[in-house]
C-alpha cells in the first residue's frame, strides 16, 4: 500500500518525543522519562488504552520540542510496564506495534497530542534478488560483529532466522548502535527491499569506520614501547586527532608546555611539579574547564623569573649624584642609603636589609625608592598596600577557587621580569584586617630573610626565593605598623622640610618640572625668589611639598591662558602678583602669640603629617572647685590635666598660691581647634605651666614652647616625635623650646637650620620649666596665715590666631 493511500480513519494519541532514540515495530525498548511533557503523555496513555506514539525529535538540544521539531514517521507502541523513580523520573518499558505518520498536532500543552494515520509497508515478494540481498546483509552483519564484540548471541540468532527484507532491516537497525538520523531514514522507508538496501549501505560504512579505528589502534600500539603501556590511550587519542586533522588538542598543548618547561631550565622541584601538571593536562578531555585552569597555571609559573636576574651596578659616586639630582636636602637620609649600598658592594650576598622609610606625606619617600633602584641598576616595582584587608592579596588564592590569581608579591616579580628587583611596599601602615585574614601577618614571611628563601604563594604552590629581592617599605606613622613587622625592618626617618629646603626644591625642581609639563619656557614665565618665599609662607602649610607643587601648577595654568591669548606675553610673578593669581593669602604670618599672656602656653604636638603648635588656654573663675576640660581631649590627655593640677597643689606654697584654691575656684582647660581630636601625655608640662600662670596671674613668654610628660612629683618625663615638634616650633618663630632632659640625645637628629634658630632647654622638673617660661618667678608664701585672699586674675583677651595647619575633623593630634 502506498504512502498516499487513504486509510480508514485517523486517530489521536499522546506523543512522546525521543531524544537520540528511534523505535521500530516489534522492538522492545526500555528507557527513562524525565521531561514534564513526556510524563503527562504517559499519564494520559495509561488512562486510556495504554497506546502511545513514540517519535524521534530532530534536535537533541531542544528540551521542549513542538510539532515542527519531531519527525513525521514514528511507531505506535504498547506500554508494558512503568516503574516510578522519585529521583530519576519514570522508567518506561514499551513494545513497538506498527508505523504511523503524523497528520497534525492537535495540541502541545500539557503534552503533545498528535493526529495519526497508520502506514503499512509494501508487500514483500520473495525473489532471487531479495534473497541475495538478505544473504549479503547477513554477511555484512557477521563482518560487523567481528570488529564490534558487544552484540549478544540471541541477536545474532535473530538475524539468521529473519527471511523477510523489511523485518530483517528493522531488527538489525533496532539492535545496532547507529546514529539516530540513519535509523530514522530506515524507519521512514516503506519498501522492504529498499529499506534493506539502505541498511546494508549504513552497515558497510560502519564497517569501514571500525576498520579505521582498528588501524589507528594498531598504529598507536606500534608507536609506543612495551614498557610504556600507560601511554597507550594517550597515543591513541593523538592518532585520532591526526586522522581528523586536529592540532589544538590538550595533548598537543601539553607537549608544547613540556617543551617550554624543559627549555626554561627551572629548579628540579619546580620542573618536576610542572611536568606532573602537564601529565594531568594530557589526560583531560578536549574542552574541559579544568584543562584551561591547568594551562593558565603552567603559563603563569613559566612567566616567573626563576633564573633571570640583573647585575648590580653599585657606584657610590653615581648613586650620590642620582640622589642629589632627584632630591634636595635629606642629607642624613642620603648618607644612610649610601651606607646600605656600600655594605651591599662589599658583601653582595648579604640579605635581610629591609628598609622602611617613615615620614609625613610629600617628603619624597616613593621617589627615593625609585632613585635607589636606578642607582643599583635594578628593576623597580611599586606595590600599594593602602587599604589591603585580605591576606590573599599578599599570598594569592588557591587554584580551587574560580578566578584565582597569584598574590601581589608574585605579580610584582612577574611584572619586573627578574628575581632581584627593588619592590616598594607603599603605605605599609595603611593595611587593615578583617574576617578574611590579616595581611600584615602574611607579610611576616615576605620580610623575614630567614623565611623568604622559600616563599610559598597559594596559587603557585611552590617555593620561590625572595632573598635576592630588595624590599623597601614606606609609612607615614610608624606606630601603626604591627610590632612583629616593625621589628623586621631597618627604619629611616624622613623629617619635614625647612623653609629654606622648600625654597630650593621649588626653585630647582618643582618650577622647571611644572613649566615643562604646561608647555611654558623659562623666558615666558619667571617666578621671583620673593614670590617663592611668599608662596611657601602664605599659601601652603605642610611637612612636604605636594601642596606647594599644586600652587605652582595653578600659577602655570593661570599664565597659560594669557600666553594662548597673547603669544608674545612675558610674565614675572612677584609677591604682589600672587594675590591676583591665587587669591588672598590662606595663612598668616607663621608666628605664635605675639604677646606674653596669662594662661596661654605654646605646646607642641606630633601628627602623622608632621609636627604642629598646640596652644593651651587656662581660665580660673570663682566657683566650687570644678575642672572643665574641652577641645576634643582624649583620655590620656585628660589624665595629664588632672596630674598637672595635683602637681601644682603639692607646691602651692612655693608658688604663692593658696592651699585651698581647688575648693574656691573653677579651672577650665581648653585646647583650641576643638573639632580636632587630641591625645597623648606630652602636654603635661604645658598644662601645668598654664595653670600656674592663671593662678599666679603671671604671663607666659610668647616665644617659648614646651613638650614633656609630667608626674605628680613634678618630674618631666621624655616624649617622642621631638624632630617634628622642633620643626613646628621653628616654623612658628619660637626662640626657646623646653624639652625633657632624657630627650637631649635626640637633639643630634634635629636639622642644623632648626638648631641655628631655636634654643633647646633640657629640664628635669617642673620648677625649671616655670622659671624659664614665666615672665617672673612666683613669690612663695611665708605662711598660710600671711597669705592674702587671692582674687581671680583678669585674663586678657586672646588675639585670634590662624593655625599653621588645619587638619580635617577626622585627623588626630597626638602630643606624645
Amino acid at each position: 500500500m502506498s504512502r498516499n493511500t487513504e486509510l480508514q480513519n485517523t486517530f489521536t494519541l499522546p506523543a512522546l518525543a525521543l531524544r537520540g532514540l528511534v523505535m521500530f515495530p516489534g522492538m522492545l525498548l526500555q528507557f527513562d522519562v524525565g521531561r514534564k511533557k513526556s510524563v503527562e503523555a504517559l499519564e494520559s496513555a495509561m488512562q486510556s488504552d495504554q497506546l502511545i506514539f513514540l517519535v524521534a525529535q530532530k534536535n537533541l538540544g531542544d528540551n521542549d520540542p513542538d510539532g515542527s521539531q519531531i519527525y513525521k514517521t514514528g511507531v505506535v507502541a504498547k506500554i508494558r510496564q512503568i516503574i516510578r523513580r522519585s529521583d530519576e523520573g519514570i522508567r518506561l518499558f514499551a513494545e513497538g506495534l506498527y508505523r504511523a505518520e503524523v497528520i497534525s498536532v492537535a495540541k502541545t500543552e500539557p503534552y503533545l497530542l498528535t493526529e495519526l494515520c497508520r502506514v503499512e509497508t509494501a508487500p514483500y515478494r520473495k525473489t532471487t534478488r531479495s534473497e541475495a540481498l538478505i544473504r549479503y546483509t547477513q554477511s555484512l552483519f557477521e563482518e560487523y560483529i567481528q570488529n564490534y564484540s558487544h552484540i549478544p548471541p540471541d541477536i545474532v540468532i535473530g538475524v539468521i532466522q529473519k527471511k523477510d527484507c523489511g523485518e530483517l532491516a528493522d531488527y538489525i537497525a533496532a539492535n545496532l548502535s547507529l546514529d539516530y538520523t540513519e535509523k530514522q531514514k530506515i524507519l521512514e522507508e516503506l519498501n522492504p527491499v529498499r529499506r534493506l538496501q539502505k541498511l546494508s549501505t549504513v552497515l558497510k560504512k560502519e564497517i569501514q569506520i571500525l576498520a579505521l579505528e582498528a588501524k589507528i589502534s594498531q598504529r598507536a600500539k606500534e608507536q609506543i614501547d612495551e614498557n610504556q603501556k600507560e601511554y597507550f590511550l594517550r597515543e591513541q587519542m593523538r592518532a585520532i586527532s591526526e586522522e581528523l586533522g586536529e592540532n589544538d588538542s590538550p595533548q598537543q598543548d601539553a607537549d608544547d608546555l613540556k617543551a617550554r618547561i624543559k627549555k626554561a631550565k627551572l629548579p628540579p622541584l619546580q620542573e618536576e611539579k610542572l611536568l606532573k601538571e602537564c601529565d594531568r593536562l594530557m589526560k583531560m578531555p578536549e574542552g574541559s574547564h579544568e584543562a584551561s585552569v591547568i594551562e593558565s597555571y603552567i603559563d603563569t609559573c613559566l612567566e616567573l623569573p626563576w633564573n633571570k636576574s640583573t647585575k648590580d651596578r653599585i657606584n657610590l659616586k653615581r648613586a650620590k649624584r642620582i640622589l642629589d639630582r632627584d632630591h634636595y636636602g635629606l642629607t642624613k637620609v642620603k648618607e644612610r642609603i649610601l651606607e646600605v649600598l656600600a655594605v651591599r658592594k662589599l658583601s653582595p650576598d648579604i640579605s635581610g636589609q629591609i628598609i622602611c622609610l617613615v615620614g609625613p606625606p610629600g617628603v619624597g619617600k616613593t621617589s627615593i625608592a625609585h632613585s635607589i633602584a636606578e642607582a643599583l641598576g635594578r628593576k623597580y616595582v611599586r606595590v600599594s598596600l593602602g587599604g589591603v584587608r585580605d591576606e590573599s592579596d599578599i599570598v594569592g588564592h588557591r587554584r580551587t577557587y574560580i578566578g584565582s590569581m597569584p598574590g601581589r608579591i608574585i605579580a610584582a616579580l612577574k611584572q619586573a621580569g627578574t628575581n632581584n628587583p627593588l619592590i616598594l611596599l607603599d603605605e605599609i601602615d595603611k593595611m587593615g584586617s578583617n574576617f578574611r585574614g590579616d595581611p600584615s601577618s602574611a607579610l611576616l614571611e615576605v620580610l623575614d630573610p630567614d623565611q623568604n628563601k622559600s616563599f610559598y604563594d597559594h596559587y603557585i604552590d611552590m617555593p620561590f626565593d625572595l632573598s635576592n629581592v630588595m624590599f623597601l617599605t614606606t609609612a607615614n606613622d610608624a606606630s601603626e605598623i604591627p610590632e612583629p613587622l616593625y621589628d623586621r625592618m631597618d627604619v629611616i626617618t624622613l623629617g619635614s622640610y625647612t623653609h629654606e629646603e622648600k625654597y630650593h626644591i621649588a626653585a630647582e625642581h618643582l618650577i622647571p618640572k611644572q613649566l615643562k609639563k604646561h608647555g611654558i619656557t623659562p623666558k615666558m614665565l619667571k617666578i621671583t625668589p620673593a614670590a617663592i618665599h611668599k608662596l611657601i609662607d602664605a599659601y601652603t602649610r605642610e611637612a612636604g611639598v605636594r601642596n606647594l607643587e599644586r600652587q605652582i601648577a595653578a600659577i602655570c595654568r593661570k599664565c597659560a591662558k594669557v600666553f594662548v591669548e597673547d603669544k608674545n606675553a612675558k610674565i614675572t610673578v612677584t609677591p604682589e602678583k600672587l594675590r591676583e593669581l591665587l587669591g588672598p593669602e590662606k595663612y598668616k604670618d607663621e608666628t605664635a602669640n605675639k604677646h606674653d599672656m596669662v594662661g596661654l602656653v605654646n605646646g607642641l604636638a606630633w601628627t602623622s603629617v608632621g609636627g604642629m603648635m598646640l596652644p593651651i588656654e587656662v581660665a580660673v573663675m570663682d566657683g566650687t572647685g570644678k575642672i572643665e576640660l574641652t577641645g576634643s581631649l582624649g583620655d590620656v590627655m585628660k589624665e595629664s590635666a588632672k596630674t598637672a593640677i595635683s602637681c601644682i597643689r603639692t607646691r602651692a606654697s612655693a608658688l604663692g598660691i593658696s592651699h585651698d584654691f581647688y575648693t574656691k575656684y573653677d579651672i577650665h582647660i581648653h585646647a583650641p581647634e576643638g573639632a580636632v581630636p587630641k591625645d597623648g601625655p606630652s602636654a603635661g608640662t604645658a598644662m601645668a605651666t598654664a595653670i600656674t600662670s592663671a593662678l599666679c596671674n603671671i604671663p607666659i613668654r610668647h616665644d617659648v614652647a614646651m613638650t614633656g610628660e609630667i608626674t605628680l612629683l613634678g618630674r618631666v618625663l621624655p616624649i617622642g616625635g621631638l624632630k617634628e615638634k622642633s620643626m613646628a616650633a621653628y616654623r612658628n618663630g619660637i626662640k626657646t623650646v623646653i624639652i625633657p632632659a632624657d630627650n637631649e640625645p635626640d637633639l643630634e637628629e634635629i636639622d642644623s637650620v632648626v638648631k641655628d634658630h631655636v634654643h633647646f632647654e633640657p629640664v628635669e622638673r617642673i620648677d625649671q620649666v616655670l622659671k624659664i617660661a614665666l615672665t617672673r618667678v612666683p613669690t612663695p608664701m611665708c605662711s598660710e596665715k600671711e597669705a592674702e585672699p587671692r582674687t581671680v586674675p583678669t585674663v586678657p583677651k586672646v588675639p585670634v590666631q590662624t593655625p599653621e595647619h588645619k587638619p580635617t575633623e577626622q585627623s588626630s593630634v597626638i602630643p606624645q
Side-chain angles (χ1 to χ4, degrees):
M1 184 179 295
S2 66
R3 190 183 293 271
N4 297 326
T5 302
E6 187 70 25
L7 299 179
Q8 297 177 352
N9 290 327
T10 60
F11 56 97
T12 57
L13 280 180
L16 195 155
L18 301 177
R19 198 199 309 250
L21 296 176
V22 177
M23 188 75 168
F24 285 87
M27 177 182 177
L28 295 173
L29 185 62
Q30 182 176 345
F31 57 96
D32 292 330
V33 178
R35 290 186 288 196
K36 186 177 180 181
K37 277 190 175 182
S38 301
V39 174
E40 293 286 350
L42 284 176
E43 295 288 351
S44 176
M46 291 300 294
Q47 292 176 3
S48 56
D49 52 2
Q50 298 183 2
L51 293 179
I52 191 165
F53 180 58
L54 302 180
V55 60
Q57 67 182 63
K58 297 177 181 178
N59 185 4
L60 296 183
D62 193 353
N63 289 322
D64 189 16
D66 54 15
S68 63
Q69 295 298 318
I70 60 174
Y71 288 101
K72 291 293 184 182
T73 303
V75 172
V76 175
K78 182 74 172 180
I79 300 174
R80 294 302 183 188
Q81 186 179 13
I82 288 180
I83 301 175
R84 298 185 181 275
R85 295 187 175 186
S86 58
D87 54 341
E88 299 178 0
I90 296 175
R91 174 157 290 183
L92 171 65
F93 185 73
E95 180 183 5
L97 299 180
Y98 53 85
R99 286 175 171 80
E101 188 175 76
V102 178
I103 302 300
S104 64
V105 178
K107 63 178 183 177
T108 58
E109 295 294 337
Y111 57 86
L112 286 175
L113 184 65
T114 54
E115 186 178 359
L116 309 171
C117 69
R118 180 170 178 172
V119 291
E120 298 291 344
T121 61
Y124 170 68
R125 295 177 184 178
K126 188 174 182 181
T127 62
T128 304
R129 186 172 179 274
S130 63
E131 185 69 17
L133 182 60
I134 291 175
R135 291 183 181 182
Y136 174 71
T137 305
Q138 289 174 341
S139 65
L140 286 176
F141 181 79
E142 183 178 354
E143 186 178 353
Y144 177 87
I145 63 176
Q146 288 176 358
N147 293 297
Y148 194 80
S149 60
H150 300 295
I151 304 297
D154 56 338
I155 294 179
V156 178
I157 296 172
V159 171
I160 297 173
Q161 292 177 345
K162 299 293 182 183
K163 300 301 180 181
D164 184 288
C165 288
E167 291 178 3
L168 180 61
D170 288 348
Y171 188 80
I172 293 177
N175 289 284
L176 291 188
S177 298
L178 304 177
D179 187 76
Y180 77 97
T181 56
E182 300 289 348
K183 288 187 176 183
Q184 182 65 31
K185 292 177 183 177
I186 296 171
L187 178 68
E188 292 175 352
E189 182 56 60
L190 300 182
N191 187 290
V193 177
R194 288 200 296 267
R195 189 188 309 161
L196 193 57
Q197 286 176 340
K198 288 186 177 180
L199 176 66
S200 62
T201 303
V202 173
L203 267 179
K204 187 67 177 177
K205 181 180 175 182
E206 287 293 317
I207 289 170
Q208 291 176 349
I209 294 173
L210 290 175
L212 182 59
E213 287 182 353
K215 180 181 176 182
I216 293 171
S217 175
Q218 184 62 29
R219 182 187 303 174
K221 288 180 181 179
E222 292 173 356
Q223 288 176 351
I224 61 175
D225 189 81
E226 291 183 358
N227 296 328
Q228 296 176 324
K229 291 182 179 180
E230 65 273 13
Y231 294 107
F232 172 70
L233 292 176
R234 185 184 312 150
E235 294 297 330
Q236 188 179 44
M237 293 178 69
R238 186 203 305 276
I240 293 172
S241 299
E242 290 176 358
E243 289 290 338
L244 296 176
E246 297 177 353
N247 297 320
D248 56 347
S249 63
Q251 291 72 30
Q252 184 66 35
D253 294 337
D255 287 342
D256 295 341
L257 290 173
K258 268 191 174 182
R260 288 177 58 192
I261 293 169
K262 292 177 180 178
K263 185 179 178 181
K265 297 180 180 179
L266 304 178
L269 177 64
Q270 285 77 4
E271 182 175 342
E272 181 183 356
K273 181 174 179 59
L274 292 182
L275 289 176
K276 285 183 179 179
E277 293 294 328
C278 286
D279 292 338
R280 287 186 58 205
L281 181 61
M282 282 187 173
K283 299 174 184 178
M284 294 289 173
E286 191 170 348
S288 170
H289 172 71
E290 182 69 15
S292 64
V293 173
I294 295 176
E295 283 186 56
S296 177
Y297 167 72
I298 297 176
D299 280 333
T300 302
C301 291
L302 288 176
E303 289 174 2
L304 292 178
W306 299 96
N307 300 315
K308 297 177 184 178
S309 60
T310 56
K311 187 176 181 180
D312 288 348
R313 302 190 305 272
I314 301 177
N315 185 320
L316 294 186
K317 292 182 179 179
R318 176 174 173 270
K320 187 176 187 304
R321 187 170 63 252
I322 291 173
L323 290 172
D324 290 339
R325 180 198 68 192
D326 297 339
H327 303 86
Y328 180 85
L330 303 176
T331 306
K332 292 185 178 180
V333 175
K334 293 177 183 178
E335 289 178 0
R336 185 74 173 276
I337 292 171
L338 291 174
E339 290 170 4
V340 172
L341 297 182
V343 172
R344 190 170 288 274
K345 176 76 173 178
L346 295 174
S347 178
D349 298 330
I350 191 171
S351 61
Q353 291 182 324
I354 312 298
I355 299 173
C356 180
L357 303 175
V358 177
V363 296
K365 298 185 295 296
T366 304
S367 58
I368 282 180
H370 194 281
S371 300
I372 295 173
E374 185 180 349
L376 281 170
R378 293 193 176 196
K379 297 287 186 179
Y380 168 78
V381 184
R382 175 180 171 271
V383 178
S384 177
L385 298 179
V388 172
R389 295 179 177 273
D390 190 350
E391 65 180 7
S392 297
D393 285 347
I394 306 297
V395 295
H397 303 77
R398 298 194 182 277
R399 282 187 290 151
T400 52
Y401 297 104
I402 296 175
S404 58
M405 62 183 69
R408 298 197 180 194
I409 303 300
I410 294 296
L413 289 166
K414 181 180 174 183
Q415 178 185 344
T418 62
N419 61 10
N420 63 338
L422 187 148
I423 296 181
L424 175 66
L425 303 177
D426 208 7
E427 308 291 355
I428 198 170
D429 58 329
K430 304 297 191 302
M431 288 189 299
S433 60
N434 58 12
F435 64 92
R436 293 186 181 91
D438 184 4
S440 62
S441 299
L443 274 178
L444 294 177
E445 181 184 2
V446 176
L447 300 181
D448 192 325
D450 295 328
Q451 299 181 34
N452 63 13
K453 292 180 181 178
S454 57
F455 170 68
Y456 262 84
D457 183 275
H458 289 165
Y459 181 83
I460 302 300
D461 197 24
M462 291 184 292
F464 194 99
D465 188 1
L466 297 180
S467 60
N468 296 323
V469 179
M470 185 174 183
F471 286 102
L472 263 73
T473 64
T474 68
N476 297 131
D477 185 0
S479 64
E480 294 294 328
I481 304 174
E483 190 64 31
L485 196 59
Y486 186 85
D487 187 55
R488 284 165 166 78
M489 298 185 293
D490 188 8
V491 178
I492 299 178
T493 304
L494 285 75
S496 305
Y497 287 122
T498 63
H499 179 97
E500 204 63 26
E501 287 175 331
K502 289 183 181 180
Y503 170 78
H504 285 284
I505 292 171
E508 298 173 17
H509 297 278
L510 302 183
I511 293 177
K513 175 184 174 183
Q514 290 301 323
L515 289 178
K516 182 179 179 181
K517 184 177 180 181
H518 290 81
I520 302 172
T521 63
K523 293 182 179 179
M524 298 166 63
L525 176 62
K526 181 181 179 182
I527 304 178
T528 64
I532 298 175
H533 287 293
K534 186 74 171 179
L535 194 61
I536 295 170
D537 291 335
Y539 290 91
T540 62
R541 192 65 58 85
E542 57 180 339
V545 291
R546 280 186 184 153
N547 284 329
L548 179 58
E549 186 173 8
R550 292 192 188 101
Q551 296 298 335
I552 295 171
I555 293 174
C556 293
R557 289 196 304 271
K558 298 284 186 181
C559 295
K561 185 179 178 183
V562 177
F563 295 140
V564 171
E565 295 173 352
D566 183 3
K567 295 182 179 179
N568 298 321
K570 293 184 178 179
I571 300 176
T572 300
V573 179
T574 60
E576 294 75 19
K577 196 168 182 62
L578 281 178
R579 184 178 183 88
E580 177 186 337
L581 294 173
L582 300 178
E585 298 177 3
K586 297 181 180 178
Y587 304 99
K588 300 300 180 183
D589 186 17
E590 278 192 345
T591 55
N593 313 312
K594 294 183 179 180
H595 306 284
D596 299 340
M597 300 183 64
V598 174
L600 178 60
V601 65
N602 294 320
L604 294 172
W606 177 92
T607 71
S608 60
V609 295
M612 64 176 292
M613 292 288 292
L614 179 66
I616 295 176
E617 299 175 351
V618 174
V620 178
M621 303 154 285
D622 286 329
T624 57
K626 294 180 181 178
I627 299 174
E628 288 286 341
L629 302 171
T630 56
S632 297
L633 306 184
D635 292 339
V636 176
M637 204 164 179
K638 290 178 180 178
E639 290 177 358
S640 293
K642 295 176 182 177
T643 303
I645 293 173
S646 298
C647 176
I648 299 304
R649 287 180 59 187
T650 61
R651 47 181 34 81
S653 298
L655 297 174
I657 301 172
S658 174
H659 284 277
D660 57 353
F661 73 90
Y662 63 91
T663 62
K664 296 180 179 180
Y665 308 113
D666 291 342
I667 299 176
H668 189 154
I669 302 174
H670 176 68
E673 294 190 44
V676 181
K678 310 169 189 72
D679 203 2
S682 66
T685 55
M687 290 182 177
T689 303
I691 293 169
T692 303
S693 170
L695 290 171
C696 296
N697 200 20
I698 300 175
I700 301 172
R701 290 172 54 188
H702 69 278
D703 59 350
V704 173
M706 62 189 69
T707 181
E709 181 180 355
I710 195 171
T711 68
L712 290 174
L713 301 179
R715 294 183 297 129
V716 178
L717 302 183
I719 46 82
L722 181 60
K723 185 176 180 180
E724 287 78 11
K725 293 177 181 179
S726 64
M727 185 67 69
Y730 165 72
R731 287 200 307 263
N732 285 272
I734 298 297
K735 302 300 181 182
T736 303
V737 175
I738 301 173
I739 63 172
D742 291 340
N743 283 113
E744 196 168 0
D746 297 336
L747 293 176
E748 294 182 5
E749 299 180 3
I750 306 299
D751 291 340
S752 58
V753 178
V754 178
K755 291 181 180 179
D756 294 341
H757 292 81
V758 178
H759 175 64
F760 292 90
E761 286 282 358
V763 297
E764 295 181 348
R765 303 189 64 80
I766 188 62
D767 308 283
Q768 298 172 271
V769 176
L770 297 176
K771 185 177 180 181
I772 298 169
L774 299 179
T775 57
R776 62 180 176 84
V777 179
T779 304
M781 283 188 176
C782 297
S783 65
E784 204 170 312
K785 295 180 181 180
E786 297 176 5
E788 298 180 1
R790 183 190 180 284
T791 58
V792 179
T794 303
V795 181
K797 185 177 180 182
V798 180
V800 178
Q801 302 174 52
T802 303
E804 60 99 7
H805 175 64
K806 184 67 176 178
T808 59
E809 293 189 4
Q810 287 76 18
S811 64
S812 178
V813 178
I814 309 177
Q816 295 182 342

